[in-house]
């Protein structure tokens, strides 16, 4: 095999490890924690499915999907940091940047640069594509928590205001989905899934 193909195959082997990184969210059947690969698949499909709910804005859906496919690869090295773990959030970007450089560095230079740029765009949330991708990344675990009766929320004592703070940016870009999510949060409090 040529060098380029060798590097691509090595990267493919490396990213298989994403299947071994478990998140705090449970599968909707409550049987076990979800892994990062399952999360990635789910939010990528959600992005395609829910695109029609963007507030009259168009996004480059292929770019969004690529962003979603690479956004958690850094967790192979950095691990999954629970969204509500304030101490774990300290130094998270630096840990993940080091992981991004190593993991994407396995690839040929052009593909390394493209994936690193997509990962950074996702992290910075300055483009419509990155905000839409981030919205999927926020909504999916919220749905998992809601439809498991707040299983992970309850395990970690999460309050409604912390969940609302993570999704407030949806109000501008995805008002329909923001309304749905607000309704789910309110109902989760009413049902006792989430602390008021």
């Amino acid at each position: 095999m040529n060098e380029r193909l060798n590097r691509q195959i090595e990267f493919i082997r490396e990213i298989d490890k994403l299947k071994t990184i478990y998140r705090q969210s449970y599968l909707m059947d409550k049987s076990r924690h979800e892994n990062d690969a399952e999360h990635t698949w789910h939010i990528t499909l959600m992005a395609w499915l829910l695109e029609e709910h963007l507030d009259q804005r168009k996004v480059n859906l292929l770019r969004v999907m690529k962003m979603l496919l690479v956004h958690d690869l850094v967790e192979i090295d950095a691990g999954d940091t629970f969204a509500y773990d304030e101490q774990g959030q300290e130094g998270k970007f630096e840990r993940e940047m080091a992981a991004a450089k190593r993991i994407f560095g396995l690839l040929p230079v052009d593909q390394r640069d493209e994936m690193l740029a997509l990962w950074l765009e996702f992290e910075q949330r300055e483009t419509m594509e990155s905000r839409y991708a981030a919205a999927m990344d926020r909504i999916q675990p919220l749905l998992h928590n809601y439809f498991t009766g707040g299983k992970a929320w309850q395990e970690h004592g999460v309050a409604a205001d912390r969940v609302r703070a993570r999704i407030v940016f949806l109000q501008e870009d995805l008002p329909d989905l923001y309304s749905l999510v607000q309704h789910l949060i309110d109902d989760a409090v009413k049902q006792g899934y989430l602390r008021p």
Side-chain angles (χ1 to χ4, degrees):
M1 288 191 292
N2 66 41
E3 177 62 20
R4 182 177 178 85
L5 184 54
N6 279 336
R7 295 186 77 164
Q8 291 167 328
I9 296 301
E10 185 58 29
F11 177 79
I12 289 166
R13 289 183 62 210
E14 184 67 13
I15 64 170
D16 188 66
K17 293 176 183 173
L18 198 65
K19 299 171 189 174
T20 68
I21 308 300
Y22 284 86
R23 301 169 48 79
Q24 293 300 313
S25 297
Y26 285 86
L27 298 181
M28 289 189 193
D29 71 0
K30 302 182 192 179
S31 62
R32 64 172 172 81
H33 287 275
E34 169 188 53
N35 71 46
D36 265 350
E38 292 165 331
H39 167 72
T40 297
W41 161 79
H42 210 186
I43 61 176
T44 304
L45 189 57
M46 283 175 54
W48 178 20
L49 182 66
L50 299 176
E51 180 188 19
E52 68 187 59
H53 297 284
L54 282 164
D55 188 27
Q56 304 300 318
R57 299 180 202 182
K58 294 290 181 192
V59 294
N60 178 334
L61 187 59
L62 178 59
R63 186 167 190 81
V64 170
M65 294 171 94
K66 285 181 175 183
M67 215 176 290
L68 291 172
L69 288 170
V70 303
H71 88 286
D72 273 344
L73 291 178
V74 296
E75 293 183 4
I76 291 169
D77 288 358
D80 178 55
T81 303
F82 184 50
Y84 304 103
D85 176 2
E86 291 175 17
Q87 189 174 16
Q89 296 296 327
E90 293 174 19
K92 179 183 176 215
F93 180 79
E94 292 76 16
R95 290 189 308 272
E96 290 187 348
M97 176 57 88
K101 288 179 180 177
R102 185 195 73 77
I103 295 165
F104 301 141
L106 297 171
L107 286 163
V109 173
D110 61 316
Q111 290 178 322
R112 176 201 69 197
D113 291 350
E114 179 183 14
M115 288 196 187
L116 184 58
L118 286 164
W119 180 78
L120 283 169
E121 182 179 345
F122 177 85
E123 290 296 312
Q124 293 164 348
R125 254 195 296 155
E126 293 175 355
T127 64
M128 190 60 212
E129 283 77 12
S130 62
R131 288 194 307 277
Y132 182 57
M136 298 301 102
D137 193 44
R138 297 292 197 278
I139 293 171
Q140 190 257 7
L142 190 148
L143 292 174
H144 276 249
N145 269 291
Y146 182 80
F147 289 111
T148 59
K151 191 165 174 64
W153 284 335
Q154 290 177 354
E155 285 178 3
H156 296 280
V158 178
D161 62 334
R162 296 192 70 200
V163 178
R164 283 190 177 94
R166 287 185 49 79
I167 55 95
V168 72
F169 75 97
L170 300 175
Q171 192 169 11
E172 181 182 337
D173 298 326
L174 295 156
D176 289 348
L177 293 176
Y178 181 74
S179 284
L180 168 69
V181 169
Q182 286 287 59
H183 169 75
L184 294 178
I185 293 169
D186 291 343
D187 192 55
V189 170
K190 183 177 169 185
Q191 298 292 332
Y193 304 163
L194 191 57
R195 284 181 33 226

